[in-house]
Amino acid sequence: MAEIIQRDGTWTFDGVTLRIVPGHDKSVSLLRKTLGELTLPLAALTGIAFEHGKKSGRLRLRLRDGADPLLQATGGKLADSCDPYQLLVEADRHGVAEYMVDEVRNALHLEQVPAQSCDSYLLPGPSVPLQVAAGDATVSFDGERVRLEWNWKTEEAKAAAGARTIALADVAAVEWQPAIGLENGYLRFAVRHSPTKAPPKYDPNSVELWGFKKDPLMALVAAAVQARLPHPAAKALPAPADAPASAPAAPPAAGAEDDHDALLRRLRELGELHRSGVLTDEEFTVAKQAVLKRM
């Protein structure tokens, strides 16, 4: 077992999983403290490195593309201070950090963990229910619905319609962008059948962010929603192997085939969420039965 304990946090590797616990030091970001303890399976990793510095070094983990909904939702835009997969290492612990690197690299080699992208999430994402107040709104997510409640800073045209509730089934995509320089950031929900080119300031499905301390917490909302959307790399179900090569079946009534395919995709998505731990056994059974009844 390899373990490194720092004010910035603690990493423990047992050869199978890497446990990350954020530190309590005031320098540790609010996002990392709110996200809390993480347990990463070896299969989610693709590399680790240690960067030496004059006063302190830095451990960096590399995760496989598509393994983590947080990284998927933030697209590499998290600041180093908010990145849960980095650890500041004091000068007298550089040797311990190098030992951690060797242990993880050896395990990746022995287990022959592939470096290619994942087609399902290997981490569950932030837990729900989740509520964050930042920018011009308070956003709540309970795993099934997103609710946006506006505050006194919201543009009047956007706030006029009142609080907004979006069913997860209606969310096509979620995007988080931090404020950079003079450019404001945002958390945007792309809603099916309701495309818009309105800027976040006026979009009732978006939260405008101005670069304040709590802004990065909206990335946790984005990640929690992302974890429950179909994986970006999910592939369409293959045709049955025993399907006849000739005399194809008559086409179904208009719209029926699309609806049936959508239900099949939903079943597969539920299975992926169950395997990754996002859904409990009971939640998976209830959701599966609901889909089967529709079929």
Side-chain angles (χ1 to χ4, degrees):
M1 176 180 287
E3 182 176 61
I4 180 167
I5 303 174
Q6 296 289 275
R7 289 181 298 174
D8 195 41
T10 299
W11 287 14
T12 306
F13 180 62
D14 62 6
V16 178
T17 58
L18 178 62
R19 180 170 169 261
I20 295 177
V21 180
H24 299 290
D25 191 76
K26 63 181 181 180
S27 63
V28 178
S29 72
L30 184 59
L31 182 147
R32 290 174 56 202
K33 289 180 178 178
T34 304
L35 184 59
E37 180 180 325
L38 297 173
T39 301
L40 283 65
L42 185 64
L45 306 180
T46 189
I48 184 173
F50 178 61
E51 302 170 354
H52 287 268
K54 292 182 178 180
K55 294 184 178 180
S56 63
R58 187 183 295 269
L59 272 170
R60 290 182 186 266
L61 280 176
R62 293 196 303 277
L63 274 63
R64 294 171 61 191
D65 289 343
D68 179 26
L70 174 61
L71 296 184
Q72 186 72 40
T74 55
K77 299 169 187 173
L78 279 177
D80 283 353
S81 60
C82 293
D83 189 340
Y85 306 120
Q86 297 188 30
L87 181 71
L88 290 177
V89 180
E90 297 165 13
D92 61 347
R93 290 294 181 269
H94 285 192
V96 180
E98 290 169 348
Y99 176 69
M100 173 71 73
V101 169
D102 289 341
E103 288 292 291
V104 174
R105 285 179 176 173
N106 288 339
L108 288 171
H109 177 71
L110 289 173
E111 296 297 327
Q112 297 185 339
V113 176
Q116 63 261 35
S117 301
C118 300
D119 58 8
S120 63
Y121 293 120
L122 301 182
L123 279 78
S127 59
V128 294
L130 182 64
Q131 184 179 80
V132 175
D136 65 354
T138 296
V139 182
S140 306
F141 179 55
D142 62 4
E144 292 293 337
R145 292 168 296 277
V146 176
R147 182 168 176 82
L148 297 91
E149 300 180 70
W150 314 115
N151 57 39
W152 64 273
K153 295 172 284 187
T154 309
E155 177 65 31
E156 184 177 353
K158 184 164 75 171
R164 175 98 165 125
T165 299
I166 309 170
L168 180 63
D170 293 330
V171 178
V174 59
E175 183 182 3
W176 174 81
Q177 172 70 46
I180 301 176
L182 298 178
E183 294 291 327
N184 291 340
Y186 56 84
L187 171 66
R188 185 193 300 274
F189 300 97
V191 178
R192 301 182 194 280
H193 314 303
S194 183
T196 179
K197 294 183 179 180
K201 182 176 182 178
Y202 302 102
D203 180 7
N205 299 317
S206 298
V207 178
E208 187 177 34
L209 304 173
W210 300 301
F212 297 135
K213 183 179 179 180
K214 289 187 176 181
D215 280 13
L217 295 183
M218 284 295 180
L220 299 183
V221 177
V225 173
Q226 184 72 55
R228 291 160 176 80
L229 295 178
H231 193 279
K235 299 176 182 178
L237 289 172
D242 56 352
S246 58
E257 182 177 5
D258 290 343
D259 185 58
H260 187 265
D261 288 345
L263 293 173
L264 288 175
R265 286 196 298 271
R266 182 57 178 161
L267 280 175
R268 186 182 60 176
E269 293 157 8
L270 289 171
E272 292 173 352
L273 292 173
H274 182 231
R275 286 192 296 274
S276 63
V278 173
L279 294 178
T280 64
D281 291 344
E282 183 179 357
E283 290 170 337
F284 171 66
T285 300
V286 172
K288 182 177 71 172
Q289 290 300 324
V291 175
L292 291 176
K293 285 180 180 179
R294 290 182 60 190
M295 295 178 68

Coordinates of all heavy atoms in Angstrom, one line a residue, residues 177-267:
Q177 N -19.2 26.5 -18.1 CA -18.1 27.4 -18.6 C -17.7 28.4 -17.5 O -18.6 29.1 -17.0 CB -18.5 28.1 -19.9 CG -17.5 29.2 -20.3 CD -16.2 28.6 -20.9 OE1 -16.3 27.6 -21.7 NE2 -15.1 29.1 -20.5
P178 N -16.5 28.4 -17.0 CA -16.1 29.3 -15.9 C -15.9 30.7 -16.5 O -15.7 30.9 -17.7 CB -14.8 28.7 -15.4 CG -14.2 28.1 -16.6 CD -15.3 27.5 -17.4
A179 N -16.0 31.7 -15.6 CA -15.8 33.1 -16.0 C -14.3 33.2 -16.2 O -13.5 32.8 -15.4 CB -16.3 34.0 -15.0
I180 N -13.9 33.8 -17.4 CA -12.5 34.0 -17.7 C -12.3 35.5 -18.1 O -12.9 35.9 -19.1 CB -12.0 33.1 -18.8 CG1 -12.2 31.6 -18.4 CG2 -10.6 33.3 -19.2 CD1 -11.9 30.6 -19.5
G181 N -11.5 36.2 -17.3 CA -11.2 37.6 -17.7 C -12.5 38.4 -17.6 O -13.2 38.3 -16.6
L182 N -12.8 39.1 -18.7 CA -14.0 39.9 -18.7 C -15.2 39.1 -19.2 O -16.3 39.6 -19.3 CB -13.8 41.1 -19.6 CG -12.7 42.1 -19.2 CD1 -12.5 43.2 -20.2 CD2 -13.0 42.6 -17.8
E183 N -15.0 37.8 -19.6 CA -16.1 37.0 -20.1 C -16.8 36.2 -18.9 O -16.1 35.5 -18.2 CB -15.5 35.9 -21.1 CG -15.0 36.5 -22.4 CD -16.1 37.1 -23.2 OE1 -17.2 36.6 -23.2 OE2 -15.8 38.2 -23.9
N184 N -18.1 36.4 -18.8 CA -18.8 35.7 -17.8 C -18.9 34.2 -18.1 O -18.8 33.8 -19.3 CB -20.2 36.3 -17.7 CG -20.2 37.7 -17.1 OD1 -19.3 38.1 -16.5 ND2 -21.3 38.4 -17.3
G185 N -19.1 33.4 -17.1 CA -19.3 32.0 -17.3 C -20.7 31.6 -17.3 O -21.6 32.5 -17.2
Y186 N -21.0 30.3 -17.3 CA -22.4 29.9 -17.3 C -22.6 28.4 -17.0 O -21.6 27.7 -17.2 CB -23.1 30.3 -18.6 CG -22.5 29.6 -19.9 CD1 -22.7 28.3 -20.2 CD2 -21.5 30.4 -20.6 CE1 -22.1 27.8 -21.4 CE2 -20.9 29.8 -21.7 CZ -21.2 28.5 -22.1 OH -20.6 28.0 -23.2
L187 N -23.8 28.0 -16.6 CA -24.2 26.7 -16.6 C -25.4 26.6 -17.5 O -26.4 27.3 -17.2 CB -24.5 26.2 -15.2 CG -25.2 24.9 -15.0 CD1 -24.3 23.7 -15.4 CD2 -25.7 24.6 -13.6
R188 N -25.4 25.8 -18.5 CA -26.5 25.8 -19.5 C -27.0 24.4 -19.7 O -26.2 23.4 -19.8 CB -26.0 26.3 -20.9 CG -27.1 26.5 -21.9 CD -26.5 26.7 -23.3 NE -25.7 27.8 -23.4 CZ -26.2 29.1 -23.7 NH1 -27.5 29.2 -23.8 NH2 -25.4 30.1 -23.8
F189 N -28.3 24.3 -19.7 CA -29.0 23.0 -20.0 C -29.6 23.1 -21.3 O -30.5 24.0 -21.6 CB -30.1 22.7 -18.9 CG -29.5 22.6 -17.5 CD1 -29.6 23.7 -16.7 CD2 -29.0 21.5 -17.1 CE1 -29.1 23.6 -15.4 CE2 -28.4 21.4 -15.8 CZ -28.5 22.5 -14.9
A190 N -29.2 22.3 -22.2 CA -29.8 22.2 -23.6 C -31.1 21.3 -23.5 O -31.0 20.2 -23.2 CB -28.8 21.6 -24.6
V191 N -32.2 22.0 -23.7 CA -33.5 21.3 -23.5 C -34.0 20.8 -24.9 O -34.0 21.5 -25.9 CB -34.5 22.2 -22.9 CG1 -35.9 21.5 -22.7 CG2 -34.0 22.7 -21.5
R192 N -34.4 19.5 -24.9 CA -34.9 18.9 -26.2 C -36.1 19.7 -26.7 O -37.0 20.2 -26.0 CB -35.4 17.5 -25.9 CG -34.3 16.6 -25.4 CD -34.8 15.2 -25.2 NE -33.9 14.4 -24.4 CZ -32.8 13.8 -24.9 NH1 -32.4 14.0 -26.1 NH2 -32.0 13.1 -24.0
H193 N -36.1 19.9 -28.0 CA -37.2 20.6 -28.7 C -37.3 22.0 -28.3 O -38.4 22.7 -28.6 CB -38.6 19.9 -28.5 CG -38.5 18.4 -28.6 ND1 -38.1 17.8 -29.8 CD2 -38.8 17.4 -27.8 CE1 -38.1 16.5 -29.7 NE2 -38.5 16.2 -28.4
S194 N -36.3 22.6 -27.7 CA -36.4 24.0 -27.3 C -35.0 24.7 -27.5 O -34.4 25.2 -26.6 CB -36.8 24.1 -25.8 OG -36.9 25.5 -25.5
P195 N -34.5 24.6 -28.8 CA -33.2 25.3 -29.0 C -33.3 26.8 -28.9 O -34.3 27.4 -29.1 CB -32.9 24.9 -30.5 CG -34.3 24.7 -31.1 CD -35.1 24.1 -30.0
T196 N -32.1 27.3 -28.4 CA -32.1 28.8 -28.3 C -30.6 29.3 -28.5 O -29.7 28.5 -28.2 CB -32.5 29.2 -26.9 OG1 -32.4 30.7 -26.8 CG2 -31.7 28.6 -25.8
K197 N -30.5 30.5 -29.0 CA -29.2 31.1 -29.2 C -29.1 32.3 -28.2 O -28.1 33.1 -28.3 CB -29.1 31.6 -30.6 CG -29.0 30.4 -31.7 CD -28.8 31.0 -33.1 CE -28.7 29.8 -34.1 NZ -28.4 30.3 -35.5
A198 N -30.0 32.4 -27.3 CA -30.0 33.5 -26.4 C -28.7 33.4 -25.4 O -28.4 32.3 -25.0 CB -31.2 33.5 -25.5
P199 N -28.1 34.4 -25.1 CA -26.9 34.4 -24.2 C -27.4 34.0 -22.8 O -28.6 34.1 -22.5 CB -26.4 35.8 -24.2 CG -27.5 36.6 -24.6 CD -28.3 35.8 -25.6
P200 N -26.6 33.4 -21.9 CA -27.0 32.9 -20.6 C -27.8 34.0 -19.8 O -28.6 33.6 -19.0 CB -25.7 32.5 -19.9 CG -24.8 32.2 -21.1 CD -25.2 33.1 -22.2
K201 N -27.4 35.2 -20.0 CA -28.1 36.3 -19.3 C -29.6 36.3 -19.5 O -30.4 36.7 -18.6 CB -27.5 37.6 -19.7 CG -28.0 38.9 -18.9 CD -27.3 40.1 -19.4 CE -27.8 41.3 -18.6 NZ -27.1 42.6 -19.0
Y202 N -30.0 35.9 -20.7 CA -31.5 35.9 -21.0 C -32.1 34.5 -21.2 O -33.3 34.4 -21.3 CB -31.7 36.7 -22.3 CG -31.1 38.1 -22.2 CD1 -29.9 38.5 -22.8 CD2 -31.9 39.1 -21.6 CE1 -29.5 39.8 -22.7 CE2 -31.4 40.4 -21.5 CZ -30.2 40.7 -22.1 OH -29.7 42.0 -22.0
D203 N -31.3 33.5 -21.2 CA -31.7 32.1 -21.4 C -32.3 31.5 -20.1 O -31.6 31.4 -19.1 CB -30.6 31.3 -21.9 CG -31.0 29.8 -22.2 OD1 -32.2 29.5 -22.1 OD2 -30.1 29.0 -22.4
P204 N -33.6 31.2 -20.1 CA -34.2 30.7 -18.9 C -33.7 29.3 -18.5 O -34.1 28.8 -17.4 CB -35.7 30.6 -19.2 CG -35.8 30.5 -20.7 CD -34.6 31.3 -21.2
N205 N -32.9 28.7 -19.4 CA -32.4 27.3 -19.0 C -30.9 27.5 -18.7 O -30.2 26.4 -18.7 CB -32.5 26.4 -20.2 CG -34.0 26.2 -20.6 OD1 -34.8 26.0 -19.7 ND2 -34.3 26.2 -21.8
S206 N -30.4 28.7 -18.4 CA -29.0 28.9 -18.1 C -28.8 29.7 -16.8 O -29.7 30.5 -16.4 CB -28.3 29.6 -19.2 OG -28.3 28.9 -20.4
V207 N -27.7 29.5 -16.2 CA -27.3 30.4 -15.1 C -26.1 31.2 -15.5 O -25.1 30.6 -16.0 CB -26.9 29.5 -13.8 CG1 -26.5 30.4 -12.7 CG2 -28.1 28.6 -13.4
E208 N -26.1 32.5 -15.3 CA -24.9 33.3 -15.6 C -24.0 33.4 -14.4 O -24.5 33.6 -13.3 CB -25.4 34.7 -16.0 CG -24.2 35.5 -16.6 CD -24.7 36.9 -17.0 OE1 -25.6 37.5 -16.5 OE2 -24.1 37.4 -18.0
L209 N -22.7 33.2 -14.6 CA -21.7 33.2 -13.6 C -20.8 34.4 -13.8 O -20.4 34.6 -14.9 CB -21.0 31.9 -13.5 CG -21.8 30.6 -13.4 CD1 -21.0 29.4 -13.6 CD2 -22.5 30.6 -12.0
W210 N -20.3 35.0 -12.7 CA -19.5 36.2 -12.8 C -18.1 36.0 -12.2 O -17.4 37.0 -12.0 CB -20.2 37.3 -12.1 CG -21.6 37.6 -12.7 CD1 -21.8 38.0 -14.0 CD2 -22.8 37.6 -12.1 NE1 -23.1 38.1 -14.2 CE2 -23.8 37.9 -13.0 CE3 -23.3 37.3 -10.8 CZ2 -25.2 38.0 -12.8 CZ3 -24.6 37.4 -10.5 CH2 -25.6 37.7 -11.5
G211 N -17.7 34.8 -11.8 CA -16.4 34.6 -11.4 C -16.2 34.7 -9.9 O -15.1 34.9 -9.4
F212 N -17.2 34.5 -9.1 CA -17.1 34.5 -7.6 C -16.8 33.2 -7.1 O -16.7 32.2 -7.8 CB -18.4 35.1 -7.0 CG -18.8 36.5 -7.4 CD1 -20.0 36.8 -7.8 CD2 -17.8 37.4 -7.4 CE1 -20.3 38.1 -8.2 CE2 -18.1 38.8 -7.8 CZ -19.3 39.1 -8.2
K213 N -16.5 33.1 -5.8 CA -16.0 32.0 -5.1 C -16.8 30.7 -5.3 O -16.3 29.6 -5.5 CB -15.8 32.2 -3.6 CG -15.2 31.1 -2.8 CD -15.1 31.5 -1.3 CE -14.5 30.3 -0.5 NZ -14.4 30.7 0.9
K214 N -18.1 30.8 -5.3 CA -19.0 29.6 -5.4 C -19.3 29.2 -6.8 O -19.9 28.1 -7.0 CB -20.3 29.9 -4.7 CG -20.2 30.0 -3.2 CD -21.6 30.1 -2.6 CE -21.5 30.0 -1.0 NZ -22.9 30.1 -0.4
D215 N -18.8 29.9 -7.8 CA -19.1 29.6 -9.2 C -18.6 28.1 -9.6 O -19.4 27.4 -10.2 CB -18.3 30.5 -10.1 CG -19.1 31.8 -10.3 OD1 -20.0 32.1 -9.5 OD2 -18.8 32.6 -11.2
P216 N -17.4 27.7 -9.1 CA -17.0 26.3 -9.5 C -18.0 25.2 -9.0 O -18.0 24.1 -9.6 CB -15.7 26.2 -8.9 CG -15.1 27.6 -8.8 CD -16.3 28.4 -8.4
L217 N -18.8 25.5 -8.0 CA -19.7 24.5 -7.5 C -20.8 24.2 -8.5 O -21.4 23.1 -8.4 CB -20.4 25.0 -6.2 CG -19.5 25.2 -5.0 CD1 -20.3 25.6 -3.7 CD2 -18.7 23.9 -4.7
M218 N -21.0 25.1 -9.4 CA -22.0 24.8 -10.5 C -21.5 23.7 -11.4 O -22.3 23.0 -12.0 CB -22.3 26.0 -11.3 CG -23.2 27.0 -10.7 SD -24.9 26.4 -10.4 CE -25.7 27.8 -9.6
A219 N -20.2 23.5 -11.4 CA -19.6 22.3 -12.1 C -20.0 21.0 -11.5 O -20.2 20.0 -12.2 CB -18.1 22.4 -12.1
L220 N -20.3 21.0 -10.2 CA -20.8 19.8 -9.6 C -22.2 19.4 -10.0 O -22.5 18.3 -10.2 CB -20.7 19.9 -8.0 CG -19.3 20.2 -7.4 CD1 -19.4 20.2 -5.9 CD2 -18.3 19.1 -7.9
V221 N -23.0 20.5 -10.2 CA -24.4 20.3 -10.7 C -24.3 19.7 -12.1 O -25.0 18.7 -12.5 CB -25.2 21.6 -10.7 CG1 -26.6 21.4 -11.3 CG2 -25.3 22.1 -9.3
A222 N -23.4 20.3 -12.9 CA -23.2 19.9 -14.3 C -22.8 18.4 -14.3 O -23.3 17.6 -15.1 CB -22.2 20.7 -15.0
A223 N -21.9 18.0 -13.4 CA -21.4 16.6 -13.4 C -22.5 15.7 -12.9 O -22.6 14.5 -13.4 CB -20.2 16.6 -12.5
A224 N -23.3 16.1 -11.9 CA -24.3 15.2 -11.4 C -25.4 14.9 -12.5 O -25.9 13.8 -12.7 CB -25.0 15.8 -10.2
V225 N -25.7 15.9 -13.3 CA -26.6 15.7 -14.4 C -25.9 14.9 -15.5 O -26.6 14.0 -16.1 CB -27.1 17.1 -15.0 CG1 -27.9 16.9 -16.3 CG2 -27.9 17.9 -13.9
Q226 N -24.7 15.2 -15.8 CA -24.0 14.5 -16.9 C -23.9 13.0 -16.6 O -24.0 12.2 -17.5 CB -22.5 15.0 -17.0 CG -21.7 14.4 -18.1 CD -22.1 14.9 -19.5 OE1 -22.2 16.1 -19.7 NE2 -22.4 14.0 -20.3
A227 N -23.7 12.6 -15.3 CA -23.6 11.2 -14.9 C -24.9 10.5 -15.2 O -24.9 9.2 -15.3 CB -23.3 11.1 -13.4
R228 N -26.0 11.2 -15.3 CA -27.3 10.5 -15.5 C -27.9 10.7 -17.0 O -29.0 10.3 -17.3 CB -28.3 11.1 -14.5 CG -28.0 10.6 -13.1 CD -28.6 11.5 -12.0 NE -28.3 11.0 -10.7 CZ -27.2 11.1 -10.1 NH1 -26.2 11.9 -10.6 NH2 -27.0 10.6 -8.9
L229 N -27.1 11.3 -17.8 CA -27.4 11.4 -19.2 C -26.7 10.2 -20.0 O -25.7 9.6 -19.4 CB -26.9 12.7 -19.8 CG -27.6 14.0 -19.3 CD1 -26.9 15.2 -20.0 CD2 -29.1 14.0 -19.6
P230 N -27.1 9.9 -21.2 CA -26.4 8.8 -21.9 C -25.0 9.2 -22.1 O -24.6 10.3 -22.3 CB -27.2 8.8 -23.3 CG -28.5 9.4 -22.9 CD -28.3 10.4 -21.9
H231 N -24.1 8.2 -22.0 CA -22.7 8.4 -22.1 C -22.4 8.9 -23.6 O -23.0 8.3 -24.5 CB -21.9 7.1 -21.8 CG -20.4 7.4 -21.7 ND1 -19.6 7.5 -22.8 CD2 -19.6 7.5 -20.6 CE1 -18.4 7.7 -22.3 NE2 -18.4 7.7 -21.0
P232 N -21.6 9.9 -23.8 CA -21.3 10.4 -25.1 C -20.8 9.4 -26.1 O -21.0 9.4 -27.3 CB -20.2 11.5 -24.9 CG -20.4 11.9 -23.5 CD -20.9 10.7 -22.7
A233 N -20.1 8.3 -25.5 CA -19.5 7.3 -26.4 C -20.4 6.1 -26.6 O -20.1 5.1 -27.2 CB -18.2 6.8 -25.9
A234 N -21.6 6.2 -26.0 CA -22.6 5.0 -26.1 C -22.9 4.8 -27.6 O -23.2 5.7 -28.4 CB -23.8 5.3 -25.3
K235 N -22.9 3.5 -28.0 CA -23.1 3.1 -29.4 C -24.5 2.6 -29.5 O -25.1 2.0 -28.5 CB -22.1 2.1 -29.8 CG -20.6 2.6 -29.8 CD -19.7 1.5 -30.2 CE -18.2 2.0 -30.1 NZ -17.3 1.0 -30.4
A236 N -25.0 2.6 -30.7 CA -26.4 2.1 -30.9 C -26.3 0.6 -30.8 O -25.3 -0.1 -31.0 CB -26.8 2.4 -32.4
L237 N -27.4 0.0 -30.4 CA -27.5 -1.5 -30.2 C -27.3 -2.1 -31.6 O -27.9 -1.7 -32.6 CB -28.8 -1.9 -29.6 CG -29.0 -1.5 -28.1 CD1 -30.5 -1.8 -27.7 CD2 -28.1 -2.3 -27.3
P238 N -26.5 -3.2 -31.7 CA -26.3 -3.9 -32.9 C -27.6 -4.6 -33.3 O -28.5 -5.0 -32.5 CB -25.2 -4.9 -32.6 CG -25.3 -5.2 -31.2 CD -25.8 -3.8 -30.6
A239 N -27.7 -4.9 -34.6 CA -28.9 -5.7 -35.1 C -28.8 -7.1 -34.6 O -27.7 -7.6 -34.4 CB -28.9 -5.6 -36.6
P240 N -29.9 -7.8 -34.4 CA -29.9 -9.2 -33.9 C -29.1 -10.0 -34.9 O -29.2 -9.9 -36.1 CB -31.3 -9.6 -33.9 CG -32.1 -8.3 -33.7 CD -31.3 -7.3 -34.5
A241 N -28.3 -11.0 -34.4 CA -27.4 -11.8 -35.2 C -28.2 -12.7 -36.1 O -27.8 -13.1 -37.2 CB -26.5 -12.6 -34.4
D242 N -29.5 -13.1 -35.6 CA -30.3 -14.1 -36.4 C -31.3 -13.4 -37.3 O -32.2 -14.0 -37.8 CB -31.0 -15.0 -35.4 CG -31.8 -14.3 -34.4 OD1 -31.7 -13.0 -34.4 OD2 -32.6 -14.9 -33.7
A243 N -31.2 -12.1 -37.5 CA -32.1 -11.4 -38.4 C -32.0 -11.9 -39.8 O -30.8 -12.1 -40.3 CB -31.8 -9.9 -38.4
P244 N -33.0 -12.2 -40.5 CA -33.0 -12.7 -41.9 C -32.3 -11.7 -42.8 O -32.5 -10.5 -42.7 CB -34.4 -13.0 -42.2 CG -35.2 -12.1 -41.3 CD -34.4 -12.0 -40.1
A245 N -31.6 -12.3 -43.8 CA -30.9 -11.4 -44.7 C -31.8 -10.9 -45.8 O -31.5 -10.0 -46.5 CB -29.7 -12.2 -45.3
S246 N -32.9 -11.7 -46.0 CA -33.8 -11.3 -47.1 C -35.2 -11.1 -46.5 O -35.5 -11.5 -45.4 CB -33.8 -12.4 -48.2 OG -34.2 -13.6 -47.6
A247 N -36.1 -10.6 -47.4 CA -37.5 -10.4 -47.0 C -37.6 -9.7 -45.6 O -38.1 -10.2 -44.7 CB -38.2 -11.7 -46.9
P248 N -37.1 -8.4 -45.6 CA -37.2 -7.7 -44.3 C -38.6 -7.5 -43.9 O -39.5 -7.5 -44.7 CB -36.5 -6.3 -44.7 CG -36.7 -6.2 -46.1 CD -36.6 -7.6 -46.7
A249 N -38.8 -7.4 -42.6 CA -40.1 -7.2 -42.0 C -40.7 -5.9 -42.5 O -40.0 -4.9 -42.8 CB -40.0 -7.2 -40.5
A250 N -42.0 -5.8 -42.5 CA -42.7 -4.6 -42.9 C -42.3 -3.5 -41.9 O -42.3 -3.8 -40.7 CB -44.2 -4.8 -43.0
P251 N -42.1 -2.3 -42.4 CA -41.8 -1.2 -41.5 C -43.0 -0.9 -40.5 O -44.1 -1.0 -40.9 CB -41.6 0.0 -42.4 CG -42.4 -0.3 -43.6 CD -42.3 -1.8 -43.8
P252 N -42.6 -0.6 -39.3 CA -43.7 -0.3 -38.3 C -44.4 1.0 -38.6 O -43.9 1.8 -39.5 CB -42.9 -0.2 -37.0 CG -41.5 0.2 -37.4 CD -41.3 -0.4 -38.7
A253 N -45.4 1.3 -37.9 CA -46.1 2.6 -38.1 C -45.2 3.7 -37.8 O -44.2 3.6 -37.1 CB -47.3 2.6 -37.2
A254 N -45.5 4.9 -38.5 CA -44.6 6.0 -38.3 C -44.4 6.4 -36.9 O -45.3 6.5 -36.1 CB -45.2 7.2 -39.1
G255 N -43.1 6.5 -36.5 CA -42.8 6.9 -35.1 C -42.6 5.8 -34.2 O -42.0 5.9 -33.2
A256 N -43.2 4.6 -34.5 CA -43.1 3.5 -33.5 C -41.7 2.9 -33.4 O -41.2 2.6 -32.4 CB -44.1 2.4 -34.0
E257 N -41.0 2.8 -34.6 CA -39.6 2.3 -34.6 C -38.7 3.2 -33.8 O -37.9 2.7 -32.9 CB -39.1 2.2 -36.0 CG -37.7 1.5 -36.1 CD -37.2 1.3 -37.5 OE1 -37.9 1.8 -38.4 OE2 -36.1 0.8 -37.6
D258 N -38.8 4.5 -34.0 CA -38.0 5.5 -33.2 C -38.2 5.4 -31.7 O -37.3 5.4 -30.9 CB -38.2 6.9 -33.7 CG -37.7 7.1 -35.1 OD1 -36.9 6.3 -35.6 OD2 -38.1 8.1 -35.7
D259 N -39.5 5.2 -31.4 CA -39.9 5.2 -30.0 C -39.3 3.9 -29.3 O -38.8 3.9 -28.2 CB -41.4 5.2 -29.8 CG -41.8 5.3 -28.3 OD1 -41.4 6.2 -27.7 OD2 -42.6 4.4 -27.9
H260 N -39.4 2.8 -30.1 CA -38.9 1.5 -29.6 C -37.4 1.5 -29.4 O -36.9 1.1 -28.4 CB -39.3 0.4 -30.6 CG -39.0 -1.0 -30.1 ND1 -37.8 -1.7 -30.4 CD2 -39.7 -1.8 -29.2 CE1 -37.8 -2.8 -29.8 NE2 -38.9 -3.0 -29.1
D261 N -36.7 2.1 -30.4 CA -35.2 2.2 -30.3 C -34.9 3.1 -29.1 O -33.9 2.8 -28.4 CB -34.7 2.8 -31.5 CG -34.7 1.8 -32.7 OD1 -34.9 0.6 -32.4 OD2 -34.5 2.3 -33.8
A262 N -35.6 4.1 -28.8 CA -35.3 5.0 -27.7 C -35.5 4.3 -26.4 O -34.7 4.5 -25.5 CB -36.3 6.2 -27.8
L263 N -36.5 3.4 -26.3 CA -36.7 2.7 -25.1 C -35.6 1.6 -24.9 O -35.2 1.4 -23.7 CB -38.1 1.9 -25.1 CG -39.3 2.9 -25.1 CD1 -40.6 2.1 -25.3 CD2 -39.4 3.6 -23.8
L264 N -35.2 1.0 -26.0 CA -34.0 0.1 -25.9 C -32.8 0.8 -25.4 O -32.0 0.3 -24.5 CB -33.8 -0.6 -27.2 CG -34.8 -1.6 -27.7 CD1 -34.5 -2.1 -29.0 CD2 -34.8 -2.8 -26.7
R265 N -32.5 2.0 -25.9 CA -31.4 2.8 -25.5 C -31.5 3.1 -24.0 O -30.5 3.1 -23.3 CB -31.2 4.0 -26.3 CG -30.7 3.8 -27.7 CD -30.2 5.1 -28.4 NE -31.3 6.0 -28.5 CZ -32.1 6.1 -29.6 NH1 -32.0 5.2 -30.6 NH2 -33.1 7.0 -29.7
R266 N -32.7 3.5 -23.6 CA -32.9 3.8 -22.2 C -32.7 2.6 -21.3 O -32.1 2.8 -20.2 CB -34.4 4.3 -22.0 CG -34.7 4.7 -20.6 CD -33.8 5.9 -20.1 NE -34.1 6.3 -18.8 CZ -33.3 7.0 -18.0 NH1 -32.1 7.3 -18.5 NH2 -33.7 7.4 -16.8
L267 N -33.1 1.4 -21.7 CA -32.8 0.2 -20.9 C -31.3 0.0 -20.7 O -30.8 -0.3 -19.7 CB -33.4 -1.0 -21.6 CG -34.9 -1.2 -21.3 CD1 -35.3 -2.4 -22.1 CD2 -35.2 -1.5 -19.8

